[in-house]
Amino acid sequence: MDFFRTENLSINFGGVKAVQGLDIKIEKGEIRGLIGPNGAGKTTVINLITRVYHPTEGMIFFQGSDLLKSKPHEISQVGICRTFQNLEIFKSMSTLDNVMVGRHIHLGGNMIDSILNLGKAKKEEKKGMEKAHEILRSLNLDDYAGWPASSLPFGKMRLLELGRALASEPKLLLLDEPGAGMNAEEIKALDGFIRKMRDQFGITIMLVEHVLSLVMEISDRITVLDYGVKIAEGSAREVQSDPKVVEAYLGSEE
């Protein structure tokens, strides 16, 4: 059974073929880079996987199940989580509470327990708090737990968004340009944390990113899109030397 795969995944917006016949297979525990020039369809692929869009044709399978039978609000429950190009943290909430938001799908207890703060709900809250602090420590954000998220430096806000995603305990994490706006030092820290998510927490990752140095360094395999079509796939060395990839990024000589 494949961990994750798409078959002939396609979507049209009017006359625009945003993604065409995309076949991707991702192994469990893999870090898969998904790159391409602006407008190549990378974020559209994430939106298809997370059921924001319904494909014009094709299939998506996750751990043997047909993902197209899941509704958008059920995607996190089956074990898939995503981040966004634009920061989506709750700036008025504390750093800790932002991570706790990611724990909501694991909070148990019935309504009466929740109202009275008794029984299972209380135990789950304590467990969730411990998990949230563990995540903040792994991000070197534990000292900022009580800070309003709005007061964090930009790079730490980016890491906080990853921490909130991690709190949902995903099996597959889709990262949409997590390095956007980061400086070189922050990118280095991001590299280390993405590796930790895979190695320590056992999360499989699809990474959409314009910081090509990060993608080339960290990805086990890379898929390259251009105008919604897969033009190359392989190791960093293989895709870097592929003439189709060079042409897509740099253009062909006259």
Side-chain angles (χ1 to χ4, degrees):
M1 179 181 67
D2 295 324
F3 179 75
F4 175 86
R5 79 177 191 274
T6 68
E7 295 180 1
N8 193 38
L9 190 63
S10 307
I11 187 169
N12 303 334
F13 297 109
V16 178
K17 297 180 178 180
V19 176
Q20 303 179 54
L22 180 61
D23 295 332
I24 292 181
K25 185 165 73 172
I26 300 177
E27 303 294 337
K28 185 177 181 180
E30 182 180 359
I31 297 177
R32 172 63 63 92
L34 182 64
I35 65 173
N38 287 330
K42 305 179 296 295
T43 296
T44 301
V45 171
I46 289 182
N47 286 334
L48 285 165
I49 295 171
T50 54
R51 306 292 287 112
V52 174
Y53 299 149
H54 189 80
T56 304
E57 59 182 312
M59 303 292 291
I60 308 173
F61 296 98
F62 179 60
Q63 295 188 314
S65 298
D66 180 358
L67 208 61
L68 298 185
K69 293 181 179 178
S70 298
K71 297 178 181 179
H73 71 272
E74 296 172 333
I75 293 301
S76 62
Q77 296 171 7
V78 302
I80 298 176
C81 186
R82 70 171 295 179
T83 63
F84 296 84
Q85 291 181 15
N86 299 318
L87 278 171
E88 296 289 340
I89 62 174
F90 298 101
K91 293 185 178 182
S92 62
M93 296 172 62
S94 72
T95 299
L96 177 62
D97 285 341
N98 265 273
V99 177
M100 286 295 292
V101 168
R103 293 288 307 166
H104 77 278
I105 65 171
H106 298 290
L107 293 179
N110 58 37
M111 184 179 296
I112 296 176
D113 281 342
S114 299
I115 293 172
L116 299 178
N117 197 31
L118 297 173
K120 186 178 180 180
K122 190 171 183 178
K123 292 179 181 178
E124 291 292 342
E125 182 181 2
K126 181 180 179 182
K127 179 182 177 181
M129 193 71 70
E130 292 172 351
K131 181 68 175 181
H133 278 291
E134 177 188 347
I135 290 169
L136 289 178
R137 284 193 295 272
S138 72
L139 288 163
N140 295 320
L141 290 176
D142 202 34
D143 290 342
Y144 301 91
W147 289 34
S150 60
S151 65
L152 296 177
F154 181 80
K156 294 190 184 300
M157 287 186 185
R158 278 285 182 193
L159 290 179
L160 175 58
E161 187 172 34
L162 292 182
R164 188 178 62 192
L166 181 57
S168 69
E169 300 182 12
K171 299 171 184 175
L172 174 63
L173 180 57
L174 312 173
L175 302 180
D176 196 357
E177 297 192 33
M182 285 186 167
N183 59 37
E185 183 178 347
E186 291 166 341
I187 290 290
K188 184 176 180 180
L190 176 63
D191 179 308
F193 185 61
I194 292 175
R195 293 178 192 273
K196 181 180 289 187
M197 285 193 291
R198 191 267 305 275
D199 299 337
Q200 182 175 327
F201 296 99
I203 299 171
T204 303
I205 295 166
M206 176 187 280
L207 173 64
V208 170
E209 184 55 75
H210 280 299
V211 182
L212 293 184
S213 59
L214 173 63
V215 181
M216 297 299 173
E217 177 68 25
I218 204 172
S219 300
D220 298 305
R221 288 175 63 79
I222 298 170
T223 300
V224 188
L225 299 182
D226 190 28
Y227 294 106
V229 177
K230 181 170 72 173
I231 61 171
E233 191 169 74
S235 67
R237 178 175 295 181
E238 289 169 338
V239 300
Q240 282 178 306
S241 60
D242 191 305
K244 292 181 181 178
V245 178
V246 175
E247 181 178 339
Y249 273 98
L250 302 178
S252 59
E253 293 185 9
E254 294 293 337

